Amino acid sequence: MPFLNILGPLIIWHWKKKSDPWIDFQGKESLNFQLSLTVYAFIVIVVSLFMVFTTCGVAVTTNSTTKYLESIFNSLLAVLGVFISILMLLQLIFVNFAAIKAYKGQHYRYPFSMRFLR
């Protein structure tokens, strides 16, 4: 489900942020990280689509064989899959690590996170 990674923390944070400043802080951190990952995923997708269209345009103008075009396309899809898999793995690791830290009452700032909410 698209944007479920943002919707879950947003609902919980919005619902509980006034009851405890700790929940407010951790909710903002979680939302900032999830929004950052979504932005990074969109960047990877846009760059990949640009590369696919550029490659297809070059292949069409140079009258390349279908087999050559297909191999380039499959390579670009593999690179996209690797980048998206890395983002998903980072999300899994960092969210679990942050949950453990929050449970112990320790402050945690997600790495690679843009500060949308302060």
Side-chain angles (χ1 to χ4, degrees), residues 9-116:
L10 178 64
I11 290 171
I12 293 170
W13 173 68
H14 188 65
W15 184 40
K16 293 282 195 173
K17 70 181 176 182
K18 293 181 182 170
S19 65
D20 189 3
W22 177 251
I23 293 173
D24 185 37
F25 172 76
Q26 293 299 327
K28 286 178 187 176
E29 286 298 312
S30 178
L31 277 171
N32 283 331
F33 182 66
Q34 295 301 332
L35 288 168
S36 298
L37 282 182
T38 303
V39 168
Y40 298 147
F42 276 130
I43 290 170
V44 167
I45 290 169
V46 166
V47 168
S48 297
L49 285 174
F50 175 75
M51 291 173 64
V52 166
F53 288 131
T54 303
T55 304
C56 290
V58 169
V60 168
T61 58
T62 59
N63 293 327
S64 297
T65 63
T66 306
K67 187 176 182 180
Y68 176 71
L69 182 61
E70 184 179 333
S71 67
I72 291 175
F73 184 69
N74 287 337
S75 300
L76 290 173
L77 282 178
V79 170
L80 173 65
V82 167
F83 280 129
I84 296 296
S85 297
I86 289 171
L87 285 175
M88 290 174 67
L89 183 64
L90 286 174
Q91 178 180 14
L92 179 68
I93 291 169
F94 290 138
V95 167
N96 284 324
F97 190 72
I100 292 168
K101 290 282 196 174
Y103 182 75
K104 292 179 180 179
Q106 300 170 351
H107 286 277
Y108 180 73
R109 288 212 176 246
Y110 290 89
F112 314 114
S113 182
M114 295 180 250
R115 302 285 176 229
F116 296 104

